[in-house]
Amino acid sequence: MMKRIAILGSTGSIGRSTLSVAEAYPERFQILALAAGANLEAAFEQACRWQPRVISVAAEKDADILRARLTKEGLGAIEVVHGAAGTVRVATHVEVDFVVSAIVGVAGLEATYEAVRAGKIVGLANKECLVAAGELITAEARRQGKPLLPIDSEHNAVHQCLRGGRMEEVERIWLTASGGPFLNTPRADFAAITVAQALNHPTWRMGKRITIDSATLMNKGFEVIEACRLFHMPPEKVEVIVHPQSTIHSMVEFVDGSILAQFSVTDMRLPILYALTYPERIQSDMRFPVMDMRHLDFCPPDMQKFPCLRLAYEAARAGGAKTVALNAADEVAVAAFLAGGIGFDEIPRIIEDTLSATGSGKLESIAQVLEADAEARRYAKQRIADSSGRVKQPPAPSFV
Amino acid sequence: MMKRIAILGSTGSIGRSTLSVAEAYPERFQILALAAGANLEAAFEQACRWQPRVISVAAEKDADILRARLTKEGLGAIEVVHGAAGTVRVATHVEVDFVVSAIVGVAGLEATYEAVRAGKIVGLANKECLVAAGELITAEARRQGKPLLPIDSEHNAVHQCLRGGRMEEVERIWLTASGGPFLNTPRADFAAITVAQALNHPTWRMGKRITIDSATLMNKGFEVIEACRLFHMPPEKVEVIVHPQSTIHSMVEFVDGSILAQFSVTDMRLPILYALTYPERIQSDMRFPVMDMRHLDFCPPDMQKFPCLRLAYEAARAGGAKTVALNAADEVAVAAFLAGGIGFDEIPRIIEDTLSATGSGKLESIAQVLEADAEARRYAKQRIADSSGRVKQPPAPSFV
């Protein structure tokens, strides 16, 4: 049966990989709705190539231009929408079966939540959906009786391994972590880590924020929270294990002592294909050369050296606005580090202070999530301004 | 619900491990019937400890002694039977739910087949059931709609990994092999391998025949045939991969390119527990220390150096009496090697000749399997006698 797909974030990396999967299996997947971003040219090309029912772009004026250009191409039947409402329109289109949620940041939250509310099956590639709004979104998916399918290598691996038993038979989820570029850097040297060093990730080429998040292990911390929400696990059942080769994408340990692990080529098209076809699997040529698998190392993460991971566990336990604040403060702190405003070792301090200032009340709506997010950002920015202010201030007069 | 268990081969290693599992979970498992062997003392102790409905021993006179001793202990209600018919009585007892088939050799065939025919769920630890009679036994299990559950680390691992998809979604089964003690021995040195060298297995302590079968890789060849029969796979979808650390017990590769692997402590109680509780998993303290997992090596097996593995694939493809002959000839050849009658490198030659002399007709009953088995043994023994005769004969006169 043809699966009809909407992509939120169609011009990003996951969006383009999803389109390439759809291209490889034209008899299985139909691209029905696209939410592009600010890249008008890419949106125009995708609209021409895929002729979806509806396409959304960020700005109203871009929507007008796109509509005119498509009409000129004889594609005036494609509905062109824009902004947050446009993304929701794409996510909830009545003909869509499956929504790929791949808009980076909290911008993707509302549309993803609305997709779940509309009874769509959602493939999740957006971190914030589970970190900031995981309790809301998973509760809604349960209400709808629809699966939330992870599209990232770790949670996708966990999802596959979990098929080896029942949820109540899971002893522990093992998320593997490459360890980042500073796995073997002494803690004393962390203050002096430069932006260039932090951007030099050993195994993956990624965006700047996620590269820094990998260097601080905050990215793994986010994944712990995602795993807790997605698989309804308490944080103490989600362990991080450093595995520099990143061959094993993750593991599940069952109560009887058996461990299942998943590996595959590191190609995002594979988890996308898995999510799009679940519970089926279909033939692909993405083969992992088993013979190449050797020298797998494993060690526990150093929570002293990487306090971000500890903070993520604390936020996961507290829930509510704490995980929202964790993500928001991290984004602010990483931006400040990249801009040269704070040192590498100050990132966790900003986050920790923001967490302390955040209540752990339950959030009842996406609007409340966005509000908590904005508040945490304000706090983190102020905290950065204050501390750089302190440094710049002359010493207080001694008679005070 | 209490599971009521019969053990065929209760005084052997798997039998005793099964009893120790039953001991650990008295609220789950009841030992209802035991087929012991020639060890009368062990049979008496097990009967006293477990008070089964019925116990079988090998010889009639032992049965008489055991009956008298049990009566003296006030356990006269335990039915004592003997011989092949006694084993079948144990395997088919009306109150039994689950039969652990762990009698070594073709002796276990008939009783296991009858257990399947009686609609029991069977846990298989006897190699011959699948190598020699796999087509018959799996066909009967399918007819009965009952699972055959593997109790050995490799097939148990495969069984677990297969839960990650559907049978038609399996691209390949990867059976891991330690490689045995001669993994790095040059082929030219194989003729000079001594019994002591061959019995010195790098990772496992086992019986003599299985240790030699591990050194020739014939044991892995048998496992290929078992996997083909148990999981209804053609031989070309069952690959052997040498993995000296034996950490990963086996793997399944799916059509989409994902691979699931299983590991656990190397303790036979774990696959036994898995089989006994399937499709459930229950809590055990058999924990695998994930941190200890490192330096996993993988390489393809050398079919030139280990012709037994090639012969097993050929027999698996041919089916019928060929796999019976493979097992029978191997048992004879290994016994001859252990007795100093033939060299290590002659083992595969004896087997290959026996296979050549064996037809590939389909076997329709256990009686036919046993007949083919006896015939192959006769042939292999004659072949050994002939060749040692040839060596001892004086050179033919030159004028002939």
Side-chain angles (χ1 to χ4, degrees), chain A residues 344-383:
Chain A
F344 186 79
D345 60 334
E346 283 178 278
I347 297 173
R349 279 182 233 150
I350 307 292
I351 300 167
E352 184 151 28
D353 287 354
T354 309
L355 281 180
S356 301
T358 304
S360 58
K362 200 164 178 285
L363 303 177
E364 306 285 353
S365 66
I366 295 293
Q368 285 185 12
V369 169
L370 296 177
E371 208 173 286
D373 177 80
E375 200 169 309
R377 277 168 209 274
R378 265 193 307 275
Y379 185 93
K381 279 178 190 158
Q382 190 57 50
R383 166 72 180 70

Short mmCIF file of all heavy atoms in Angstrom, two decimals, chain A residues 344-383:
data_model
loop_
_atom_site.label_atom_id
_atom_site.label_comp_id
_atom_site.label_asym_id
_atom_site.label_seq_id
_atom_site.Cartn_x
_atom_site.Cartn_y
_atom_site.Cartn_z
N PHE A 344 34.42 26.96 27.15
CA PHE A 344 33.80 25.65 26.97
C PHE A 344 33.26 25.10 28.30
O PHE A 344 32.17 24.54 28.36
CB PHE A 344 34.84 24.67 26.39
CG PHE A 344 34.28 23.33 26.04
CD1 PHE A 344 33.57 23.15 24.86
CD2 PHE A 344 34.49 22.23 26.86
CE1 PHE A 344 33.05 21.91 24.52
CE2 PHE A 344 33.98 20.98 26.53
CZ PHE A 344 33.26 20.83 25.37
N ASP A 345 34.05 25.32 29.37
CA ASP A 345 33.64 24.78 30.66
C ASP A 345 32.54 25.60 31.33
O ASP A 345 32.01 25.20 32.36
CB ASP A 345 34.85 24.65 31.59
CG ASP A 345 35.50 26.01 31.85
OD1 ASP A 345 35.37 26.91 30.97
OD2 ASP A 345 36.12 26.18 32.90
N GLU A 346 32.21 26.74 30.72
CA GLU A 346 31.13 27.54 31.29
C GLU A 346 29.76 27.09 30.79
O GLU A 346 28.73 27.42 31.38
CB GLU A 346 31.33 29.03 30.97
CG GLU A 346 32.40 29.67 31.84
CD GLU A 346 32.61 31.13 31.47
OE1 GLU A 346 33.36 31.39 30.49
OE2 GLU A 346 32.01 31.99 32.13
N ILE A 347 29.75 26.33 29.68
CA ILE A 347 28.46 25.87 29.13
C ILE A 347 27.64 25.16 30.21
O ILE A 347 26.49 25.55 30.47
CB ILE A 347 28.69 24.98 27.87
CG1 ILE A 347 29.36 25.78 26.75
CG2 ILE A 347 27.36 24.38 27.40
CD1 ILE A 347 29.78 24.95 25.53
N PRO A 348 28.19 24.13 30.87
CA PRO A 348 27.36 23.45 31.88
C PRO A 348 26.96 24.35 33.05
O PRO A 348 25.90 24.16 33.64
CB PRO A 348 28.25 22.29 32.35
CG PRO A 348 29.62 22.57 31.85
CD PRO A 348 29.48 23.45 30.65
N ARG A 349 27.82 25.34 33.37
CA ARG A 349 27.48 26.21 34.50
C ARG A 349 26.24 27.05 34.19
O ARG A 349 25.36 27.22 35.02
CB ARG A 349 28.66 27.12 34.85
CG ARG A 349 29.68 26.36 35.71
CD ARG A 349 30.85 27.27 36.09
NE ARG A 349 32.10 26.64 35.71
CZ ARG A 349 33.20 27.27 35.36
NH1 ARG A 349 33.23 28.60 35.33
NH2 ARG A 349 34.28 26.60 35.04
N ILE A 350 26.21 27.59 32.96
CA ILE A 350 25.04 28.38 32.54
C ILE A 350 23.78 27.52 32.63
O ILE A 350 22.73 27.94 33.13
CB ILE A 350 25.20 28.86 31.07
CG1 ILE A 350 26.53 29.60 30.85
CG2 ILE A 350 23.98 29.67 30.63
CD1 ILE A 350 26.63 30.91 31.54
N ILE A 351 23.93 26.28 32.14
CA ILE A 351 22.76 25.38 32.11
C ILE A 351 22.32 25.04 33.54
O ILE A 351 21.14 25.08 33.87
CB ILE A 351 23.10 24.10 31.32
CG1 ILE A 351 23.47 24.47 29.87
CG2 ILE A 351 21.93 23.13 31.34
CD1 ILE A 351 24.12 23.34 29.09
N GLU A 352 23.30 24.74 34.38
CA GLU A 352 22.97 24.35 35.75
C GLU A 352 22.24 25.48 36.47
O GLU A 352 21.24 25.25 37.15
CB GLU A 352 24.24 23.94 36.52
CG GLU A 352 23.94 23.43 37.91
CD GLU A 352 24.96 22.41 38.41
OE1 GLU A 352 26.13 22.49 37.97
OE2 GLU A 352 24.59 21.54 39.22
N ASP A 353 22.75 26.71 36.30
CA ASP A 353 22.09 27.86 36.94
C ASP A 353 20.67 28.03 36.41
O ASP A 353 19.74 28.33 37.17
CB ASP A 353 22.89 29.14 36.70
CG ASP A 353 24.17 29.17 37.53
OD1 ASP A 353 24.35 28.25 38.37
OD2 ASP A 353 24.98 30.09 37.34
N THR A 354 20.51 27.86 35.11
CA THR A 354 19.17 28.03 34.52
C THR A 354 18.22 26.96 35.07
O THR A 354 17.07 27.23 35.39
CB THR A 354 19.26 27.96 32.99
OG1 THR A 354 20.27 28.86 32.53
CG2 THR A 354 17.92 28.33 32.34
N LEU A 355 18.75 25.74 35.17
CA LEU A 355 17.92 24.65 35.72
C LEU A 355 17.50 24.96 37.15
O LEU A 355 16.35 24.74 37.54
CB LEU A 355 18.69 23.32 35.70
CG LEU A 355 18.77 22.58 34.37
CD1 LEU A 355 19.57 21.29 34.55
CD2 LEU A 355 17.38 22.26 33.84
N SER A 356 18.44 25.48 37.93
CA SER A 356 18.13 25.78 39.34
C SER A 356 17.03 26.82 39.42
O SER A 356 16.20 26.79 40.35
CB SER A 356 19.37 26.32 40.05
OG SER A 356 20.40 25.38 40.01
N ALA A 357 17.01 27.74 38.46
CA ALA A 357 16.03 28.83 38.49
C ALA A 357 14.69 28.40 37.91
O ALA A 357 13.75 29.18 37.88
CB ALA A 357 16.58 30.03 37.72
N THR A 358 14.63 27.15 37.41
CA THR A 358 13.41 26.70 36.74
C THR A 358 12.61 25.79 37.65
O THR A 358 13.18 24.89 38.29
CB THR A 358 13.79 25.92 35.46
OG1 THR A 358 14.60 26.77 34.64
CG2 THR A 358 12.55 25.48 34.68
N GLY A 359 11.30 25.99 37.72
CA GLY A 359 10.44 25.10 38.49
C GLY A 359 10.28 23.77 37.78
O GLY A 359 10.67 23.63 36.61
N SER A 360 9.73 22.77 38.49
CA SER A 360 9.57 21.49 37.84
C SER A 360 8.09 21.14 37.69
O SER A 360 7.71 19.98 37.67
CB SER A 360 10.31 20.40 38.61
OG SER A 360 9.82 20.36 39.93
N GLY A 361 7.27 22.19 37.57
CA GLY A 361 5.83 21.97 37.38
C GLY A 361 5.56 21.29 36.05
O GLY A 361 6.34 21.40 35.11
N LYS A 362 4.46 20.56 36.01
CA LYS A 362 4.07 19.85 34.80
C LYS A 362 3.56 20.87 33.78
O LYS A 362 2.86 21.82 34.13
CB LYS A 362 2.96 18.85 35.16
CG LYS A 362 2.77 17.73 34.16
CD LYS A 362 1.94 16.59 34.78
CE LYS A 362 1.71 15.48 33.78
NZ LYS A 362 0.72 15.79 32.75
N LEU A 363 3.92 20.69 32.52
CA LEU A 363 3.44 21.58 31.47
C LEU A 363 2.26 20.93 30.77
O LEU A 363 2.29 19.75 30.44
CB LEU A 363 4.58 21.86 30.48
CG LEU A 363 5.84 22.46 31.14
CD1 LEU A 363 6.94 22.65 30.12
CD2 LEU A 363 5.51 23.77 31.83
N GLU A 364 1.21 21.71 30.57
CA GLU A 364 -0.05 21.13 30.10
C GLU A 364 -0.31 21.34 28.62
O GLU A 364 -1.27 20.81 28.08
CB GLU A 364 -1.23 21.72 30.91
CG GLU A 364 -1.09 21.60 32.43
CD GLU A 364 -1.35 20.18 32.94
OE1 GLU A 364 -1.77 19.32 32.14
OE2 GLU A 364 -1.11 19.93 34.14
N SER A 365 0.51 22.19 27.98
CA SER A 365 0.25 22.47 26.57
C SER A 365 1.55 22.87 25.88
O SER A 365 2.53 23.22 26.55
CB SER A 365 -0.74 23.62 26.44
OG SER A 365 -0.14 24.81 26.93
N ILE A 366 1.53 22.83 24.55
CA ILE A 366 2.70 23.28 23.80
C ILE A 366 2.95 24.77 24.06
O ILE A 366 4.10 25.21 24.15
CB ILE A 366 2.48 23.02 22.29
CG1 ILE A 366 2.39 21.49 22.03
CG2 ILE A 366 3.60 23.62 21.45
CD1 ILE A 366 3.65 20.71 22.27
N ALA A 367 1.89 25.52 24.24
CA ALA A 367 2.05 26.95 24.54
C ALA A 367 2.85 27.13 25.83
O ALA A 367 3.75 27.96 25.91
CB ALA A 367 0.68 27.62 24.67
N GLN A 368 2.54 26.32 26.84
CA GLN A 368 3.30 26.40 28.09
C GLN A 368 4.75 25.98 27.90
O GLN A 368 5.66 26.53 28.52
CB GLN A 368 2.64 25.52 29.17
CG GLN A 368 1.37 26.14 29.75
CD GLN A 368 0.81 25.31 30.89
OE1 GLN A 368 1.45 24.39 31.39
NE2 GLN A 368 -0.41 25.64 31.30
N VAL A 369 4.96 25.00 27.03
CA VAL A 369 6.33 24.56 26.73
C VAL A 369 7.09 25.73 26.11
O VAL A 369 8.23 26.05 26.50
CB VAL A 369 6.34 23.34 25.78
CG1 VAL A 369 7.75 23.06 25.26
CG2 VAL A 369 5.76 22.10 26.47
N LEU A 370 6.46 26.38 25.13
CA LEU A 370 7.13 27.48 24.44
C LEU A 370 7.40 28.65 25.40
O LEU A 370 8.44 29.32 25.30
CB LEU A 370 6.30 27.94 23.24
CG LEU A 370 6.16 26.86 22.15
CD1 LEU A 370 5.25 27.36 21.01
CD2 LEU A 370 7.53 26.45 21.57
N GLU A 371 6.49 28.85 26.32
CA GLU A 371 6.66 29.90 27.32
C GLU A 371 7.86 29.57 28.24
O GLU A 371 8.71 30.41 28.49
CB GLU A 371 5.39 29.94 28.17
CG GLU A 371 5.06 31.26 28.78
CD GLU A 371 3.68 31.16 29.44
OE1 GLU A 371 2.66 31.12 28.70
OE2 GLU A 371 3.63 31.07 30.69
N ALA A 372 7.91 28.32 28.72
CA ALA A 372 9.02 27.89 29.58
C ALA A 372 10.34 27.99 28.81
O ALA A 372 11.38 28.37 29.36
CB ALA A 372 8.79 26.47 30.06
N ASP A 373 10.29 27.66 27.53
CA ASP A 373 11.47 27.74 26.68
C ASP A 373 11.97 29.18 26.60
O ASP A 373 13.15 29.47 26.79
CB ASP A 373 11.11 27.20 25.29
CG ASP A 373 12.26 27.30 24.31
OD1 ASP A 373 13.16 26.42 24.38
OD2 ASP A 373 12.30 28.26 23.50
N ALA A 374 11.04 30.11 26.32
CA ALA A 374 11.42 31.52 26.18
C ALA A 374 11.99 32.06 27.50
O ALA A 374 12.99 32.79 27.51
CB ALA A 374 10.21 32.34 25.74
N GLU A 375 11.36 31.65 28.59
CA GLU A 375 11.80 32.12 29.89
C GLU A 375 13.22 31.62 30.20
O GLU A 375 14.06 32.37 30.69
CB GLU A 375 10.82 31.62 30.96
CG GLU A 375 10.88 32.40 32.24
CD GLU A 375 9.71 32.03 33.15
OE1 GLU A 375 8.55 32.06 32.65
OE2 GLU A 375 9.96 31.68 34.31
N ALA A 376 13.48 30.36 29.91
CA ALA A 376 14.80 29.79 30.17
C ALA A 376 15.86 30.47 29.30
O ALA A 376 16.98 30.74 29.74
CB ALA A 376 14.79 28.29 29.91
N ARG A 377 15.49 30.76 28.05
CA ARG A 377 16.44 31.48 27.19
C ARG A 377 16.77 32.85 27.75
O ARG A 377 17.92 33.27 27.77
CB ARG A 377 15.83 31.65 25.78
CG ARG A 377 16.02 30.42 24.91
CD ARG A 377 15.18 30.47 23.63
NE ARG A 377 14.87 29.10 23.25
CZ ARG A 377 15.67 28.34 22.51
NH1 ARG A 377 16.79 28.83 22.02
NH2 ARG A 377 15.34 27.10 22.24
N ARG A 378 15.72 33.56 28.17
CA ARG A 378 15.94 34.88 28.76
C ARG A 378 16.88 34.77 29.95
O ARG A 378 17.85 35.52 30.07
CB ARG A 378 14.60 35.48 29.24
CG ARG A 378 13.93 36.39 28.24
CD ARG A 378 12.79 37.20 28.87
NE ARG A 378 11.79 36.40 29.59
CZ ARG A 378 10.74 35.83 29.00
NH1 ARG A 378 10.54 35.94 27.69
NH2 ARG A 378 9.88 35.14 29.72
N TYR A 379 16.60 33.79 30.79
CA TYR A 379 17.41 33.63 32.00
C TYR A 379 18.86 33.34 31.65
O TYR A 379 19.79 33.95 32.19
CB TYR A 379 16.85 32.50 32.89
CG TYR A 379 17.61 32.40 34.19
CD1 TYR A 379 17.18 33.08 35.33
CD2 TYR A 379 18.80 31.68 34.26
CE1 TYR A 379 17.90 33.03 36.51
CE2 TYR A 379 19.54 31.62 35.44
CZ TYR A 379 19.09 32.30 36.56
OH TYR A 379 19.81 32.25 37.72
N ALA A 380 19.06 32.40 30.72
CA ALA A 380 20.42 31.99 30.35
C ALA A 380 21.18 33.16 29.74
O ALA A 380 22.36 33.39 30.05
CB ALA A 380 20.37 30.80 29.38
N LYS A 381 20.51 33.93 28.88
CA LYS A 381 21.18 35.08 28.26
C LYS A 381 21.58 36.11 29.31
O LYS A 381 22.68 36.66 29.28
CB LYS A 381 20.25 35.73 27.22
CG LYS A 381 20.26 34.98 25.90
CD LYS A 381 19.30 35.60 24.88
CE LYS A 381 19.16 34.67 23.68
NZ LYS A 381 17.93 34.90 22.93
N GLN A 382 20.64 36.36 30.24
CA GLN A 382 20.92 37.30 31.31
C GLN A 382 22.11 36.82 32.14
O GLN A 382 23.01 37.60 32.47
CB GLN A 382 19.66 37.45 32.19
CG GLN A 382 19.75 38.59 33.20
CD GLN A 382 20.03 39.92 32.51
OE1 GLN A 382 19.34 40.29 31.55
NE2 GLN A 382 21.06 40.63 32.96
N ARG A 383 22.11 35.53 32.41
CA ARG A 383 23.17 34.92 33.22
C ARG A 383 24.54 35.10 32.54
O ARG A 383 25.54 35.42 33.19
CB ARG A 383 22.81 33.44 33.42
CG ARG A 383 23.89 32.53 33.93
CD ARG A 383 24.24 32.76 35.39
NE ARG A 383 25.29 31.81 35.78
CZ ARG A 383 26.55 31.88 35.36
NH1 ARG A 383 26.93 32.85 34.56
NH2 ARG A 383 27.43 30.98 35.75
#
